[in-house]
Amino acid sequence: MSISDTVRKRVAQLREEILYHDYRYYVLDDPEITDSAYDRLMRELQMLEADYPELITPDSPTQRVGAKPLSEFSEVRHEIPMLSLANAFEEQEVLDFDRRAREKLGVDVIDYAVEPKLDGLAISLMYEQGSLKQAATRGDGTTGEDVTQNVRTIDAIPLRLRGKDYPQTLEVRGEVIMPRKGFEKLNEMQRQKGGKLFANPRNAAAGSLRQLDPRITASRPLAFFAYGTGVVRDGELPATHHRIMEKLRSWAIPVNPESRVVKGAEGCLEYYRQMQEKRDSLDYEIDGIVYKVNRLDQQEQLGFVARAPRWAIAHKFPAQEEMTTVLDIDVQVGRTGALTPVARLEPVHVGGVMVSNATLHNQDEIDRLDIRIGDTVIVRRAGDVIPQIVSVVKSKRKGKPRRYHLPDNCPVCHSPAVRLEGESVTYCTGGLYCPAQRKESIKHFASRRAMDIEGMGDKLVEQLVDQGLVNDMSDLYSLTVEQVAALERMAEKSASKLIQAIDKSRHTTLARFLYALGIHDVGETTAQTLASYFGSLDAIRKASVEELQSVPDVGPIVAQSIVNFFKEKHNREVLDKLLAVIELPETPRREATELPLAGKTFVVTGTLSDMTRDEAKDLLRAKGAKVAGSVSKKTDYVIVGDNPGSKAEKARALGVPMLDEVGFHELLDSL
Ligand code: IVH
């Protein structure tokens, strides 16, 4: 039976559309359609291909996974070697690099293409007639490994180029990276199942790409940015690096959106400083900036020395890993009673920040690293995450220090500490008898994003609990100015201010209150969703596990922990006491489709002071909003944090309303 033209046309059209939406999503970071609409296109194509297998082509978007595991990688010779870069650590080295280049070219000022140096794995992608034919690692620069079937599983890498004006043979070079968030998640999963942890996103990216079974690679959150080209035949590329990158972008190859063209060494250094500021807020790790002479004719004139070009240099950021000693291991008791071991370190500067503590997570992690008091260790900090210990420098171990074990009793209340079968966390069994748990739950209750009681700092909570003035959160509301004024470092005035702040918190939102209770697994987003969905505390309190699970994003574990919380006698007592003194507004119960921000599109940019951008996005989504990656006329609001960059400028130019952090919180509270 011959396949009708209609089917052929539809298949071609679907592929075109999917390619276009991949481009919007991965290259422009500005999706046009929802995930479910995208899934529908994909499913329709899969169904047609299942009915007409003759129509399947290797570069169809359905063909990313499916190859069988290999027994080994084969070798690939790079027709044009993949070089490395010279490094600069000091500004002077950059000035020298620029001076040498200017002298050799006989010019006064050089235009540089500048871009982040990504901390991942170099890769070469060979496109023939616009189809991805081969992907290889850099290897020793001359010979790499054929990782085609793994690279095909990376959604950001197009199997087919968009448009028509690409060279018939085009080698794209760039870096495969693992974004921070994906890395954290992967390690958390590995930690839970007792698997191998990766020391950093670079190792994770490399380890993921060098899997013989492509299904494993497919499950890993990898991304890609191009930074150059190699072999080019039957076609032309523009005459500057920057314009080549723009061309690649038009063909659906992701290119770093932070890339710029600057004038001279001064421009390079200025960009370096800007990116250093911005570094922690990027979704992925960078370890420096690469400066490249922008004009290709000038690159050619400058040529190469040994294995590195004379027209480019990598200006490295200060290291994010340093060596130091473990002075002691302490145990912290959290709000839920979890005992967390913390390494006290000989203070050390890591990437510009003084670090004196690192979390050790749990006993398994201590065993895995085999950390002992007195050990020399490598600490690493990246982004805004808590510093971690990467490894122990065993060769520097002195004597035979004993292995460390978490105590059998809670260090605060001395109740037995237990570790349940199959769990990695050890818990204090003291419950609210344990002052540490009490303190933590009150600190959480009063915190900015919960009840927002201004002036209720950690030290104050500790005094209040230690002196027996406050046993649970409801006791806060019967404190008097005299009681507070008698505490250390408090006076009449600060005490009455605090009491006022406590009073003010009597009027709050249901979402904040719910979050403030500190129910296991109920973070801010879940609290927001529950509040919008049920409308009243009473309704949530009465809800069954099944009813709770009908709320978007509430799974069986979260639902169970909510039910458990409201079942527990002590919690009910505290709750009743609280409800007698605070006022909660009632909002009518809403379906997920009529959430308050449904139909509105937001963009979040810059650094927020009390949450990450991802948390802000989650909060918006919990209220039904759509969150986009870039500003357009269709954007309803832009949330602007510190150091916002081009998105805020664009919003201003287009007249899109902008909200600062205060405005953002007011908006959330008003819903
Ligand atoms: S350009 C001939 N640009 O750094 C120059 N490299 O030390 C080719 N890298 O193996 C490299 N980010 O893996 C270039 N924006 C960037 C880069 C970058 C990371 C890596 C790349 C290369 C190594 C060179």
Side-chain angles (χ1 to χ4, degrees), residues 305-365:
V305 261
R307 307 201 42 77
R310 260 198 220 98
W311 45 263
I313 196 163
H315 188 183
K316 302 295 276 287
F317 288 136
Q320 290 203 303
E321 287 185 4
E322 290 294 340
M323 212 154 49
T324 187
T325 4
V326 177
L327 301 176
D328 203 354
I329 297 177
D330 274 355
V331 179
Q332 278 174 357
V333 187
R335 180 158 56 82
T336 57
L339 303 191
T340 306
V342 178
R344 304 290 174 206
L345 306 169
E346 179 72 49
V348 60
H349 267 289
V350 188
V353 172
M354 189 64 107
V355 170
S356 45
N357 301 309
T359 177
L360 292 173
H361 299 281
N362 52 46
Q363 186 66 50
D364 287 346
E365 178 78 351

Side-chain angles (χ1 to χ4, degrees), residues 81-87 114-123 138 173-175 225-228 241 256 287-290 292 304 307-309 311-312 314 316:
M82 292 181 79
L83 302 173
S84 57
L85 290 169
N87 287 327
V114 294
E115 58 199 34
K117 183 162 195 297
L118 301 165
D119 209 1
L121 188 76
I123 204 95
R138 173 170 181 271
R173 292 176 175 184
E175 199 91 345
F225 283 122
Y227 55 62
H241 177 79
N256 199 305
D287 59 354
I289 301 295
V290 184
K292 300 173 187 173
F304 299 86
R307 307 201 42 77
W311 45 263
K316 302 295 276 287

